[in-house]
Amino acid sequence: EAGVAQSPRYKIIEKRQSVAFWCNPISGHATLYWYQQILGQGPKLLIQFQNNGVVDDSQLPKDRFSAERLKGVDSTLKIQPAKLEDSAVYLCASSLVTSGVTIGNEQFFGPGTRLTVL
Amino acid sequence: QKEVEQNSGPLSVPEGAIASLNCTYSDRGSQSFFWYRQYSGKSPELIMSIYSNGDKEDGRFTAQLNKASQYVSLLIRDSQPSDSATYLCAVNRRMNTGFQKLVFGTGTRLLVSP
């Protein structure tokens, strides 16, 4: 079974530029997550999709970050304009879980995109 | 108080010893708990999940859960240098929407010396 795919793997941009990341989840996984991981910290959830609907985006800086999951499969995360503090690894994860489930929700991560903002 | 707390380490153990990694969480309603391993420069890899009080064993790994004390631990027996990594504790928190949100600790760095 293929895992979560992400691209690009690395990106270097200057502040105020824009950047986009792409994610393809594990086949059949209804839920897709975008995390931001800053060096030395655990992953922080930015946005969670159930199929193509947003479940939680409470920690997404909506003035500069946007995400979509058209057709309930692939997803893109965009930053515009980027700031120095956006330098981090952006991780995409997916899981089978649907609403109402209280046990489980095993999430599987893609390789991540390392973003450097200069 | 952080939702999920871990000692950042590093935790240094000699090869062949037992490594004990600990995690506490604040939400008493949490019912699902996970341990992820993250090698430097790589993404987190799920190694254990536990949902009931007690122990769960998988090879050299044992996860322990005590919901009354809000405590989760991971034991690694016969530690190998290849186990050197950061271990992330993650706890599911139920949101008002009915969906669950995974909250991560900052991770404990484990160093296994030959």
Side-chain angles (χ1 to χ4, degrees), chain B residues 24-36:
Chain B
T24 58
Y25 60 95
S26 61
D27 183 5
R28 286 195 168 273
S30 296
Q31 298 189 46
S32 302
F33 307 86
F34 307 91
W35 284 98
Y36 285 82

Side-chain angles (χ1 to χ4, degrees), chain A residues 33 35 37 40-43 45 48 50 55-56 58-59 91 97-112 114, chain B residues 31-32 34 36 38 40-46 48-49 51 56 67 88 92 94-95 97-107:
Chain A
Y33 314 80
Y35 289 88
Q37 187 175 24
Q41 299 181 19
L45 180 68
Q48 177 176 341
Q50 172 74 16
V55 169
D56 178 36
S58 57
Q59 296 196 87
L91 296 161
V97 73
T98 57
S99 66
V101 172
T102 56
I103 298 293
N105 190 25
E106 294 183 342
Q107 296 185 24
F108 299 92
F109 284 84
R114 182 175 299 275
Chain B
Q31 298 189 46
S32 302
F34 307 91
Y36 285 82
Q38 187 171 29
S40 180
K42 302 294 185 182
S43 62
E45 172 193 10
L46 180 65
M48 290 288 286
S49 57
Y51 310 125
K56 178 181 178 183
K67 291 185 181 178
L88 297 163
N92 252 343
R94 186 128 188 226
M95 297 184 283
T97 57
F99 289 91
Q100 298 179 60
K101 176 177 182 175
L102 201 57
V103 181
F104 284 84
T106 55

Side-chain angles (χ1 to χ4, degrees), chain B residues 4 15-16 21-23 27 47-48 61 63 67 69 78 90 94 96 102 107:
Chain B
V4 180
E15 184 175 357
L21 305 160
N22 305 315
C23 171
D27 183 5
I47 55 171
M48 290 288 286
F61 298 101
K67 291 185 181 178
S69 300
D78 189 24
R94 186 128 188 226
N96 293 335
L102 201 57

Side-chain angles (χ1 to χ4, degrees), chain A residues 20-75:
Chain A
F21 312 127
W22 172 84
C23 173
N24 180 252
I26 293 172
S27 178
H29 279 196
T31 311
L32 184 147
Y33 314 80
W34 283 104
Y35 289 88
Q36 180 192 60
Q37 187 175 24
I38 292 172
L39 189 65
Q41 299 181 19
K44 181 184 83 171
L45 180 68
L46 293 176
I47 188 167
Q48 177 176 341
F49 292 94
Q50 172 74 16
N51 295 312
N52 60 352
V54 176
V55 169
D56 178 36
D57 62 358
S58 57
Q59 296 196 87
L60 186 73
K62 298 181 186 63
D63 58 333
R64 299 184 299 107
F65 286 65
S66 64
E68 60 182 10
R69 191 185 184 195
L70 300 176
K71 302 180 182 178
V73 181
D74 292 7
S75 177

Side-chain angles (χ1 to χ4, degrees), chain B:
Chain B
Q1 182 189 9
K2 292 181 180 178
E3 282 198 67
V4 180
E5 294 210 52
Q6 296 181 256
N7 188 317
S8 60
L11 173 65
S12 295
V13 299
E15 184 175 357
I18 296 175
S20 178
L21 305 160
N22 305 315
C23 171
T24 58
Y25 60 95
S26 61
D27 183 5
R28 286 195 168 273
S30 296
Q31 298 189 46
S32 302
F33 307 86
F34 307 91
W35 284 98
Y36 285 82
R37 177 175 62 197
Q38 187 171 29
Y39 291 113
S40 180
K42 302 294 185 182
S43 62
E45 172 193 10
L46 180 65
I47 55 171
M48 290 288 286
S49 57
I50 187 166
Y51 310 125
S52 304
N53 278 330
D55 295 0
K56 178 181 178 183
E57 186 175 319
D58 184 0
R60 295 187 296 112
F61 298 101
T62 299
Q64 299 175 318
L65 174 60
N66 183 325
K67 291 185 181 178
S69 300
Q70 295 175 245
Y71 180 88
V72 193
S73 65
L74 179 70
L75 300 178
I76 306 175
R77 290 182 300 282
D78 189 24
S79 294
Q80 300 297 308
S82 58
D83 294 325
S84 297
T86 295
Y87 289 81
L88 297 163
C89 173
V91 176
N92 252 343
R93 173 161 65 86
R94 186 128 188 226
M95 297 184 283
N96 293 335
T97 57
F99 289 91
Q100 298 179 60
K101 176 177 182 175
L102 201 57
V103 181
F104 284 84
T106 55
T108 297
R109 186 174 167 216
L110 174 66
L111 297 175
V112 181
S113 54

